[in-house]
Amino acid sequence: MTVRLQRARPGSPELQALVDELAERLGRSVAVDDPLVRMVCTSRHFGDEDPVRIGTLLQGRADNASIRHVLAQGVTQWSRAGFIDGRDDLGLLPRYVVPLRERGHLLGLLLVVVPEKTLAEQETRAIARAADAMAAQMYGEHVATDTRKADERDLVLELVGTDVAARTTARRRGRELGLLGAAEHVLVTVVQLSCATELVRHSEAALWGALEGFRQTRSAQGLIAVGRERATLLQLRDRPPARDEVTAQSAHILDELRTFLGPSADPVIGVGGRHPGLDEAWTSYEQALVAARAARRLPALKSAGDWELLGELAVLLQLPEHVLNTSLVPKPLRTLAEAHGGDRLRDTLRCFLEHAGSIPRTADTLGIHRTSLYYRLRQIQEITGLDLDDGAHRLTLHLGLRIEELLAPGADRAA
């Protein structure tokens, strides 16, 4: 699956005219980016172009390293204009940046290439006047876009909600509006942020920016619902997606979010089951929530959980949060953990159970002689008081080990 970096929507002719007018007045290269530092409009060159600017014109947006550098300087939180440093290794010259705000909304960033990092007073006045006009123009366009996004969000939330009548009405309305085709398969993906320190509007913009490239693809038609700390991507497909396609999609979304947001956002992704027909979107959504919980609790998943790969953990993760604690670990397993050499014995037990009690395969995997394995298994039985030849006893221990995985250090981070 080949994924292209998602560009910002091109600016309107009116905004482009304001950018060109300012550039000609200054004799400098000017651009307007969205809050995620993706190009919206740009002027012609004035001999001050750098590799980042040239690459942005060719690709439609800067590379992720350049975006991270700009955002790391806090420009989305600036209350007034200022210079950002260049980076020789990135091929980036210094820029004068003006946050474009209107009625409390950050609409974009006005960037002027200024290699010498100094501007005459008449230049800063001209930039300030142009910035005011650009912000006013962008705000009108922003209101219309926000209305469309809100309508789409409401439709998605109704399609995945618990109200059967609302789901039926939403499916009919979506088809009447031409937003939903007659594809045979549905897949829902949920993205969650911790959002400890991120600005809400910027988080919402980042979620939308990371997901919108998957609204319309060669193999899927989708809708997006973005909230404060969660986004939902509903995709309709003619065929169930291949596992590597889903993995690539999740990896791309995480990479984009880590570019647009700071570490405190700590995004995770949950992918629901693949189901026939839009009627089952709510089922895929509920499964995606469980998969996201798995991604939060299991570091081995690297922030991306897939319902269809969770196995028995999918059942355990549907337990209420206040119940999912150490009290669920069976007492024999806790006794084993407290015994001398408990970690080694627990690893042996896990390997033995995961190999369905096969002595040869367990010994080979652990790299020990079968005699040593038999000795360890006798120790485990003596300490736990359970019989490893008894299926019920094996199940108790295996479920206990799975619960311990969910309670591992770091597993409860914003779970």
Side-chain angles (χ1 to χ4, degrees), residues 40-262:
V40 175
C41 290
T42 186
S43 70
R44 70 179 179 89
H45 297 320
F46 287 84
D48 51 2
E49 62 271 17
D50 56 20
V52 168
R53 179 174 170 82
I54 294 171
T56 299
L57 289 170
L58 293 174
Q59 302 296 327
R61 61 173 268 184
D63 61 273
N64 283 352
S66 299
I67 291 176
R68 291 189 187 101
H69 171 69
V70 174
L71 290 174
Q73 297 185 61
V75 292
T76 60
Q77 300 175 45
W78 287 3
S79 58
R80 57 185 179 182
F83 287 99
I84 61 170
D85 296 327
R87 280 270 300 271
D88 290 342
D89 58 324
L90 296 177
L92 180 73
L93 290 171
R95 280 155 170 74
Y96 185 70
V97 180
V98 185
L100 299 173
R101 299 183 186 275
E102 185 75 21
R103 304 186 189 185
H105 295 288
L106 177 65
L107 304 166
L109 302 167
L110 170 60
L111 300 97
V112 182
V113 178
V114 186
E116 64 275 23
K117 286 188 71 172
T118 182
L119 289 167
E121 184 178 348
Q122 63 268 27
E123 289 181 300
T124 57
R125 284 200 303 266
I127 293 171
R129 286 194 299 270
D132 288 341
M134 291 175 189
Q137 176 64 39
M138 294 178 76
Y139 184 72
E141 299 166 9
H142 163 80
V143 170
T145 300
D146 257 17
T147 300
R148 177 181 59 79
K149 289 180 179 179
D151 290 342
E152 184 171 330
R153 178 194 64 220
D154 293 345
L155 181 62
V156 171
L157 296 181
E158 289 171 0
L159 287 168
V160 302
T162 56
D163 189 317
V164 177
R167 292 203 302 261
T168 301
T169 302
R171 288 196 297 271
R172 184 173 61 250
R173 188 170 76 251
R175 288 180 175 125
E176 289 172 350
L177 295 172
L179 297 175
L180 299 170
E184 297 181 1
H185 299 275
V186 67
L187 172 67
V188 175
T189 299
V190 169
V191 185
Q192 294 179 344
L193 306 178
S194 292
C195 268
T197 60
E198 296 293 341
L199 298 176
V200 173
R201 291 292 300 185
H202 188 64
S203 295
E204 291 177 352
L207 285 166
W208 184 270
L211 291 174
E212 82 179 305
F214 299 102
R215 290 176 76 247
Q216 300 292 332
T217 69
R218 286 183 296 179
S219 58
Q221 177 187 15
L223 297 172
I224 299 174
V226 173
R228 179 173 178 174
E229 297 177 7
R230 176 187 294 173
T232 301
L233 171 65
L234 186 157
Q235 293 174 304
L236 294 173
R237 296 168 175 266
D238 292 328
R239 56 171 179 77
R243 183 175 297 175
D244 60 349
E245 185 179 358
V246 173
T247 300
Q249 176 173 289
S250 296
H252 178 78
I253 292 170
L254 285 172
D255 186 53
E256 291 286 84
L257 288 171
R258 288 164 180 161
T259 293
F260 300 144
L261 300 172

Side-chain angles (χ1 to χ4, degrees), residues 188-382:
V188 175
T189 299
V190 169
V191 185
Q192 294 179 344
L193 306 178
S194 292
C195 268
T197 60
E198 296 293 341
L199 298 176
V200 173
R201 291 292 300 185
H202 188 64
S203 295
E204 291 177 352
L207 285 166
W208 184 270
L211 291 174
E212 82 179 305
F214 299 102
R215 290 176 76 247
Q216 300 292 332
T217 69
R218 286 183 296 179
S219 58
Q221 177 187 15
L223 297 172
I224 299 174
V226 173
R228 179 173 178 174
E229 297 177 7
R230 176 187 294 173
T232 301
L233 171 65
L234 186 157
Q235 293 174 304
L236 294 173
R237 296 168 175 266
D238 292 328
R239 56 171 179 77
R243 183 175 297 175
D244 60 349
E245 185 179 358
V246 173
T247 300
Q249 176 173 289
S250 296
H252 178 78
I253 292 170
L254 285 172
D255 186 53
E256 291 286 84
L257 288 171
R258 288 164 180 161
T259 293
F260 300 144
L261 300 172
S264 63
D266 194 16
V268 297
I269 287 180
V271 180
R274 293 60 149 166
H275 294 277
L278 186 58
D279 293 0
E280 293 297 323
W282 71 276
T283 304
S284 185
Y285 173 74
E286 294 294 335
Q287 293 169 344
L289 293 177
V290 174
R293 193 178 179 199
R296 186 69 73 192
R297 282 186 165 271
L298 297 169
L301 295 182
K302 299 180 180 179
S303 301
D306 186 335
W307 168 268
E308 298 195 351
L309 301 179
L310 292 181
E312 71 279 6
L313 292 178
V315 177
L316 297 174
L317 284 162
Q318 293 181 72
L319 293 169
E321 194 63 40
H322 71 279
V323 172
L324 194 53
N325 56 54
T326 53
S327 69
L328 290 182
V329 178
K331 186 176 179 180
L333 200 57
R334 280 182 272 156
T335 302
L336 183 64
E338 295 165 0
H340 177 69
D343 288 343
R344 184 192 64 182
L345 293 176
R346 199 164 49 202
D347 290 342
T348 299
L349 175 63
R350 179 181 293 107
C351 187
F352 175 73
L353 294 173
E354 289 179 353
H355 285 88
S358 169
I359 294 296
R361 287 190 293 155
T362 303
D364 287 346
T365 301
L366 293 174
I368 60 177
H369 194 274
R370 293 185 191 183
T371 302
S372 299
L373 176 58
Y374 280 120
Y375 175 70
R376 291 186 191 181
L377 294 177
R378 283 197 301 272
Q379 283 186 294
I380 291 169
Q381 292 188 121
E382 290 171 1

